Amino acid sequence: MDKFHSLKGIAAPLPIVNIDTDMIIPKQFLKTIKRTGLGVSLFYEMRYDNDGNLIKDFVLNTSPFDKSKILVAGDNFGCGSSREHAPWSLKDFGIRSVISTSFADIFYNNCFQNGILPIVVSPENLDQLMTAAKNQIEFTIDLPEQIIKAGNHSINFEIEEFRKERLLQGLDDIGITLGYQDKINAYEEDKKNKKPWLFKDN
Amino acid sequence: MSNQGPKTLFDKIWSEHLVGQREDGTNLLYIDRHLVHEVTSPQAFEGLKLSNRPVHRPEATIAVADHNVPTINRQNIEDPQSKIQVETLAKNTKEHGIQYFDLMDQRQGIVHIIGPEQGITQPGMTIVCGDSHTSTHGAFGALAFGIGTSEVEHVLATQTIVQNPAKNMRISVNGELPFGVNSKDLILYIIGKIGTAGGTGHVIEYAGSSIMGLSMEGRMTICNMSIEAGARAGLISPDQTTFNYIKGRPYAPGTEHWDQAVEYWSSLPSDNDANYDHEIVIDSSEIDPMVTWGTSPEDVVSVKGTVPNPSSAKTENKKKSIERSLEYMGLKPGTKITDIKLDKIFIGSCTNGRIEDLRKVASIVKDKKIASHVQAMIVPGSGLVKKQAEEEGIDKILKDAGFEWREAGCSMCLGMNPDQLKPGERCASTSNRNFEGRQGRGGRTHLMSPELAAASAITGNISDIRDFT
């Protein structure tokens, strides 16, 4: 997995609440069997008209936001479907961090699987960052220090330690768990005796 | 969460499945059953291949194609990308020795319909699937939640998932349900009350006499939409209704283990004095048949109500959000819900595509005709639901009324297959999401119960089942 240490760049403001994963990447793009190539379809219905032309005033279609590395968005970002295509499309577009007041659980988790840092801030801080983003102020996100800097603002954020470590080191989660193979096997042997109906061959 | 003291249903399942703690402090949770479908699995199987990892326990996984499949002429999938996805699932499952119900198998259907139908879903289990509506299986007292594709790969490779415990929330609904009010109205009402982020970080346990009085089908509708309240999972204590439903199904415990299983399942309900991080109590007499007016499942109102006015919103953000929704939905504030004219009716999905739902619709539309300006389609949740409906003559009643009778799949709930709304079309839908573009770009979705959708199909407007006799 890609590492995440720090990030410097323009942040796109998207002041909409409840942005769902259908909005982030609509269904027609879920037919792929690859993880890549989805960036061009990110926020498809807000970005393109019925004929597939760019909608010029949508933030990600305007300069300099078309090169955004960060998204600042309204509450409950990433609600809805579990599709990992949502973080895949954000990453493929170039976005490596999303800032909001809250995230839906599955989306939040999916971000970390893909080297994207979702950051939860207070409503007051979100307002400040939204304004800074609109004013095209450069953001700096420092994961080791857990700080977002934008203009005069310096905002600390919380992150669970294991998630931080995984991003900093780009760890392979499956590889780590496979290190506990003996424990998993022992668990299964124990349950085979205690709950045999769960081990009936399908 | 302590090991001693009273425990919730969630706490009990959690501690039973804890394999251990990793050095990074995270918990490894054992997964009893893994359901796999064509859309969120190809990249997971590819990942296994790239790192040369086998599937840890293939017999704990069941696969089916549902999201992408046509509901007519399914011998040949016309969309080349959909076809590749379905073929990829067939190939991957064969390669790894995973049971797969193919498109021609009568057991094929929506993954969350067939799990319970086959007896795969059982109390006390942990169940995951790369689909957010996995919460459906919580109706059996199983801890069931949706996961992303990277986690699908993790479960295939290790039969475990990395998790930290959720918080416990209990929503109790008490009293006899008023006439015309059913499980769909209950869950829409709950989502309206707590909001789409109300359950974030929590597992919601539904309790109370209104919930425990529901059939398994009704309980599944409730748990199914837990994700629309932001919760990771929904849970309902297993009881005799649960055991009766499971008994005799193909993957249910056989006679040799039945009593032992029931004994274990009977120990699962939450202890009387268990603690919850949040408690909500609802009196069911306050609930009407519910309909969504906007583009989030929390945008609900009684069918007797009106479209809200943005100016009555408490915050500026909420006002903007209502304005945006109304513009998308093409609705004016103050419009009576029953004055909203429909173009399409969709009955189906993992929320309401079970036999009980189809029976209710049939009883309402029997000897009637759908309004001349609507197109109505009914998509059974599985091949076996379809077969049963045909044996009961339900298909004939529905076809006589003017409904299209389709093959099983997710269909217009998410419109990955050809069943989609056109821009501006307005649909009464028994599914679970009314997001912008969900059922087709520019399509306008009103979520409601099968009863309301059936009555609305006949009148051509959103209709109150209580006025409809």
Side-chain angles (χ1 to χ4, degrees):
Chain A
M1 194 189 71
D2 290 351
K3 289 182 188 178
F4 185 110
H5 191 268
S6 57
L7 185 64
K8 192 178 265 204
I10 286 291
L14 208 53
I16 303 172
V17 295
N18 296 329
I19 291 179
D20 58 71
T21 54
D22 276 83
M23 270 161 116
I24 299 171
I25 185 82
K27 54 192 161 280
Q28 62 268 36
F29 304 107
L30 309 188
K31 295 180 185 182
T32 176
I33 56 170
K34 304 271 170 238
R35 291 174 202 244
T36 50
L38 289 166
V40 67
S41 311
L42 175 70
F43 291 115
Y44 188 84
E45 289 181 8
M46 290 198 264
R47 244 168 106 199
Y48 302 93
D49 67 17
N50 286 335
D51 302 318
N53 302 311
L54 280 181
I55 296 172
K56 292 208 167 60
D57 58 355
F58 180 64
V59 63
L60 293 181
N61 291 338
T62 62
S63 176
F65 299 115
D66 54 352
K67 301 279 187 296
S68 299
K69 292 180 183 170
I70 300 160
L71 206 57
V72 185
D75 192 50
N76 197 27
F77 189 87
C79 60
S81 144
S82 65
R83 58 189 71 165
E84 201 162 316
H85 308 69
W88 292 339
S89 60
L90 286 166
K91 189 176 180 184
D92 200 56
F93 181 89
I95 288 169
R96 292 296 301 277
S97 179
V98 185
I99 303 170
S100 178
T101 42
S102 79
F103 293 90
D105 287 338
I106 305 177
F107 175 82
Y108 185 77
N109 210 22
N110 281 342
C111 282
F112 288 100
Q113 305 282 356
N114 292 282
I116 296 175
L117 173 62
I119 303 176
V120 178
V121 296
S122 69
E124 296 73 33
N125 285 338
L126 189 79
D127 284 347
Q128 293 163 349
L129 293 175
M130 196 68 81
T131 307
K134 281 178 189 160
N135 292 333
Q136 305 180 13
I137 290 169
E138 192 178 59
F139 280 45
T140 305
I141 296 173
D142 185 326
L143 179 57
E145 295 300 322
Q146 298 179 213
I147 291 178
I148 309 169
K149 286 182 180 159
N152 299 328
H153 304 295
S154 181
I155 296 165
N156 290 84
F157 62 88
E158 297 295 318
I159 179 170
E160 289 164 289
E161 199 54 36
F162 79 95
R163 295 193 191 273
K164 181 176 174 179
E165 278 310 303
R166 273 190 53 208
L167 279 183
L168 287 173
Q169 298 184 42
L171 296 173
D172 165 22
D173 211 19
I174 298 176
I176 299 175
T177 299
L178 284 173
Y180 298 85
Q181 184 87 55
D182 290 349
K183 277 198 161 183
I184 297 169
N185 293 342
Y187 176 92
E188 287 177 334
E189 284 312 311
D190 180 50
K191 296 299 172 198
K192 265 181 207 169
N193 292 323
K194 289 182 180 148
K195 295 190 225 164
W197 67 91
L198 291 176
F199 288 83
K200 206 175 77 166
D201 277 356
N202 283 329
Chain B
M1 192 177 63
S2 70
N3 288 326
Q4 271 85 44
K7 283 179 164 186
T8 64
L9 169 57
F10 168 77
D11 298 339
K12 292 180 191 184
I13 301 174
W14 176 270
S15 54
E16 266 293 307
H17 288 83
L18 214 48
V19 172
Q21 211 168 43
R22 302 197 309 188
E23 269 173 36
D24 60 6
T26 56
N27 296 295
L28 270 188
L29 199 68
Y30 192 77
I31 298 302
D32 291 315
R33 292 292 179 270
H34 186 189
L35 305 170
V36 165
H37 68 85
E38 79 278 23
V39 175
T40 57
S41 67
Q43 295 86 350
F45 283 109
E46 188 197 30
L48 288 180
K49 197 170 194 169
L50 290 173
S51 31
N52 201 19
R53 287 169 177 153
V55 173
H56 176 78
R57 192 181 152 206
E59 67 277 13
T61 300
I62 302 248
V64 70
D66 57 2
H67 279 63
N68 230 328
V69 302
T71 54
I72 41 173
N73 303 330
R74 66 198 317 172
Q75 280 81 357
N76 186 25
I77 304 176
E78 276 180 24
D79 182 327
Q81 277 191 300
S82 299
K83 192 174 157 89
I84 289 173
Q85 232 176 22
V86 172
E87 286 171 356
T88 303
L89 182 63
K91 184 175 133 290
N92 284 331
T93 49
K94 192 170 177 203
E95 218 169 279
H96 292 280
I98 291 167
Q99 166 110 55
Y100 171 56
F101 297 161
D102 70 33
L103 274 194
M104 293 302 132
D105 191 320
Q106 221 161 30
R107 297 171 296 176
Q108 182 270 342
I110 306 173
V111 64
H112 308 308
I113 302 267
I114 69 167
E117 186 173 78
Q118 290 296 317
I120 295 164
T121 305
Q122 296 166 21
M125 279 182 166
T126 47
I127 301 173
V128 294
C129 172
D131 189 280
S132 59
H133 289 109
T134 309
S135 58
T136 312
H137 308 267
F140 291 79
L143 179 60
F145 47 88
I147 56 177
T149 298
S150 297
E151 290 174 309
V152 168
E153 185 180 338
H154 192 283
V155 176
L156 286 170
T158 69
Q159 206 56 40
T160 65
I161 197 158
V162 179
Q163 282 272 298
N164 281 329
K167 288 186 201 151
N168 281 291
M169 181 188 289
R170 179 164 63 182
I171 299 181
S172 305
V173 190
N174 297 310
E176 197 177 325
L177 292 177
F179 171 71
V181 174
N182 219 318
S183 55
K184 185 64 165 283
D185 307 300
L186 263 177
I187 189 63
L188 286 173
Y189 180 86
I190 289 170
I191 296 163
K193 198 170 171 92
I194 71 172
T196 48
T200 303
H202 291 78
V203 165
I204 301 176
E205 180 180 339
Y206 302 94
S209 58
S210 314
I211 300 287
M212 298 319 287
L214 294 171
S215 64
M216 287 316 295
E217 283 86 349
R219 294 180 190 184
M220 284 188 250
T221 302
I222 300 273
C223 287
N224 171 275
M225 289 189 74
S226 300
I227 183 74
E228 269 65 62
R232 241 273 66 206
L235 278 173
I236 295 175
S237 278
D239 63 2
Q240 197 57 46
T241 305
T242 321
F243 310 152
N244 292 347
Y245 181 97
I246 296 169
K247 195 163 192 179
R249 291 182 184 266
Y251 290 82
T255 43
E256 73 279 24
H257 296 308
W258 180 258
D259 291 343
Q260 194 187 355
V262 169
E263 194 190 335
Y264 172 63
W265 297 345
S266 304
S267 74
L268 290 167
S270 296
D271 299 332
N272 282 335
D273 41 0
N275 270 321
Y276 293 86
D277 301 283
H278 280 287
E279 282 246 42
I280 293 169
V281 179
I282 293 167
D283 174 358
S284 69
S285 68
E286 66 194 61
I287 305 174
D288 271 340
M290 304 299 284
V291 176
T292 64
W293 53 265
T295 54
S296 163
E298 69 187 18
D299 298 341
V300 291
V301 66
S302 157
V303 67
K304 281 279 178 272
T306 55
V307 174
N309 197 322
S311 62
S312 64
K314 289 192 185 107
T315 64
E316 190 58 24
N317 271 344
K318 189 68 196 164
K319 180 171 171 250
K320 274 193 208 148
S321 149
I322 296 176
E323 282 168 351
R324 184 186 165 91
S325 287
L326 292 185
E327 195 193 332
Y328 180 86
M329 293 297 288
L331 290 173
K332 290 198 172 61
T335 307
K336 281 175 72 179
I337 294 296
T338 47
D339 283 345
I340 297 173
K341 192 176 170 187
L342 298 162
D343 304 301
K344 291 217 164 141
I345 312 289
F346 170 65
I347 292 169
S349 85
C350 57
T351 314
N352 283 121
R354 285 171 279 269
I355 187 70
E356 189 178 271
D357 302 310
L358 272 48
R359 284 184 192 135
K360 282 178 191 157
V361 173
S363 73
I364 292 163
V365 307
K366 190 171 196 297
D367 301 326
K368 296 191 174 74
K369 293 276 180 221
I370 60 170
S372 57
H373 66 272
V374 301
Q375 187 198 352
M377 98 192 218
I378 191 149
V379 181
S382 74
L384 290 173
V385 168
K386 180 167 186 266
K387 178 169 169 260
Q388 165 122 27
E390 287 169 353
E391 282 166 9
E392 295 179 18
I394 287 172
D395 61 319
K396 183 158 187 322
I397 294 170
L398 295 168
K399 282 188 270 188
D400 286 349
F403 279 87
E404 293 170 30
W405 181 245
R406 299 292 187 90
E407 301 286 342
C410 297
S411 178
M412 209 202 274
C413 175
L414 84 165
M416 269 193 83
N417 73 350
D419 308 333
Q420 291 184 17
L421 295 180
K422 294 186 189 75
E425 275 187 334
R426 192 178 295 284
C427 179
S429 180
T430 67
S431 56
N432 42 57
R433 288 187 177 137
N434 51 345
F435 296 156
E436 288 180 24
R438 171 80 176 180
Q439 294 192 294
R441 184 173 186 141
R444 294 161 172 167
T445 304
H446 295 277
L447 301 176
M448 62 186 77
S449 68
E451 291 91 328
L452 257 61
S456 305
I458 302 298
T459 61
N461 271 14
I462 295 181
S463 295
D464 187 346
I465 182 69
R466 296 169 301 186
D467 301 337
F468 192 86
T469 43

